[in-house]
Amino acid sequence: MKEIILIKNGELVLKGLNRNTFEDILIKNMKKALREIGEFTFTKSQSTIIVEAVSEEIDLDEAVDALSKVFGIAALSRAAACEKDMDKIKEMAQSYLADELSFAKTFKVEAKRSDKKFPLKSPEIQRELGGYILSKNHHLKVDVHNPELCVTVEVRDNYAFIRGNNIKGAGGMPVSTSGRAAVLISGGIDSPVAAYMMAKRGIELVAVHFASPPYTSDLAEQKVMELLHRVAKYSGPITTYVVPFTELQEAIRDNCAEEFFTIIMRRYMMKISEKLAEYQNCSALITGESVGQVASQTIYALGCTDAAVNMPVFRPCIGMDKEEIIAISRKIDTFETSIQPYEDCCTVFTPRHPKTRAKLPDVIEAESAIENGDEMIKKAVENAKRLVIK
């Protein structure tokens, strides 16, 4: 039996004349996801991509799991390829889906006849196959509205494909179809979720992490690398910079009014991230901030932070509450890592009474007390450690 994987495009079908370009990028991303599993062929066919293993030894379960994390795929399923003969189709459907048919209580049949030379029309295929399945599985009942099992037959140019229920894909747009952006990544819950959400919209990620030894430990940095590794399962490889931030944080502590510590720290983080983003041909920055979640995330503080850079700043979590963000972090398997008790630099020198209604002129005046700020930014950028997380 020849078994393949059928990939259903999501938003790509709306791309008109650019659709082929988007599909080619999707296939490139699928190849990367399957590289360590084995060699596959990819065939575009009518809003579907047919993925076929070159060797029978390849584990299709592993391949399906990897493809389920590739953005741009709305749904996917394993399917059996069969001769375009109605008797063969009936026999194959019963044998290939035997386990699913035995456990289901209700089912329906859907048919899609792309090959108009096939003698039976779609409704006729559905009636014949449905009747055959009922004759072999007396416990089953037909439910055309909400069946436990949907048996689908797609009659195409070379084969008829038979499959059961679809597996939900990651959705979104293929990574790298929407440009590049740099995400400020901490060890918390929010920023990995923000990275995932923007990658889902087709953005290729660069990550910037700030380390402040001895106030932050190597374990805190390892935690962030693990978080990026989990995000990379969806986004693909992430070029990452670890920025030494101790000198700047101590300068802020020693020279600035305490109530502005956090806002000024965030402004310097943004300035450094913008420099690294420009070097990596990024067009935007990404953060995990949510309005009102902490004192540094009021609309006043966010406005002062944004004023430090010229790039647009994307905040996909901005209107979400903590439970919504946690739900996504559990889905992408970052939550348990995020809650490990290794503090990052955002918790260093936290002010007792942070300014929640900060005004930009006051922040700039407080920041001006740091005499060599530009030199320290340049030094931090030059000394940033670069690595690629996969």
Side-chain angles (χ1 to χ4, degrees), residues 22-237:
F22 281 82
E23 287 181 335
D24 289 342
I25 294 173
L26 175 58
I27 290 173
K28 179 181 177 182
N29 292 346
M30 288 194 288
K31 287 180 178 178
K32 290 180 182 177
L34 296 173
R35 184 176 295 159
E36 295 182 2
I37 298 172
E39 187 178 352
F40 294 80
T41 62
F42 300 81
T43 306
K44 293 188 285 185
S45 177
Q46 301 161 333
S47 302
T48 300
I49 298 172
I50 300 167
V51 182
E52 185 175 350
V54 172
S55 168
E56 293 182 0
E57 305 300 319
I58 290 175
D59 187 342
L60 285 189
D61 286 335
E62 192 176 354
V64 167
D65 181 65
L67 291 174
S68 69
K69 297 179 176 67
V70 176
F71 291 127
I73 297 175
L76 66 160
S77 59
R78 293 173 65 160
C82 176
E83 291 182 39
K84 292 190 293 182
D85 174 86
M86 198 61 217
D87 289 335
K88 298 285 180 63
I89 289 172
K90 290 189 284 189
E91 292 172 5
M92 181 62 77
Q94 175 60 36
S95 62
Y96 181 62
L97 300 174
D99 288 343
E100 290 94 328
L101 290 167
S102 65
F103 286 108
K105 294 180 180 179
T106 60
F107 84 108
K108 76 171 181 178
V109 175
E110 287 188 353
K112 300 176 182 179
R113 188 185 64 141
S114 301
D115 179 7
K116 302 306 180 185
K117 295 179 182 178
F118 191 75
L120 298 181
K121 296 180 180 180
S122 295
E124 296 169 331
I125 297 171
Q126 292 170 185
R127 282 196 299 269
E128 280 211 28
L129 181 54
Y132 181 82
I133 289 174
L134 283 172
S135 72
K136 297 291 184 179
N137 304 271
H138 300 296
H139 67 286
L140 281 175
K141 293 184 179 180
V142 174
D143 183 346
V144 296
H145 299 295
N146 190 30
E148 291 181 33
L149 175 63
C150 181
V151 178
T152 301
V153 179
E154 299 187 27
V155 181
R156 294 180 176 265
D157 293 338
N158 298 319
Y159 296 97
F161 296 120
I162 299 158
R163 59 181 172 85
N165 292 336
N166 276 328
I167 300 166
K168 185 176 175 60
M173 298 295 296
V175 171
S176 83
T177 57
S178 300
R180 308 185 88 197
V183 57
L184 282 70
I185 190 85
S186 71
I189 297 171
D190 304 342
S191 56
V193 169
Y196 162 85
M197 292 176 70
M198 296 313 301
K200 186 174 182 178
R201 297 313 308 156
I203 288 179
E204 184 179 354
L205 298 176
V206 171
V208 182
H209 173 64
F210 294 87
S212 293
Y215 306 106
T216 61
S217 67
D218 290 342
L219 290 175
E221 184 178 325
Q222 292 172 20
K223 170 184 172 181
V224 170
M225 298 307 113
E226 177 59 27
L227 289 170
L228 287 172
H229 172 68
R230 293 174 186 271
V231 173
K233 291 180 180 179
Y234 296 88
S235 69

Side-chain angles (χ1 to χ4, degrees), residues 244-258:
F245 201 54
T246 307
E247 184 179 10
L248 262 166
Q249 280 200 285
E250 289 179 339
I252 294 168
R253 177 199 61 189
D254 295 341
N255 295 282
C256 300
E258 183 183 358

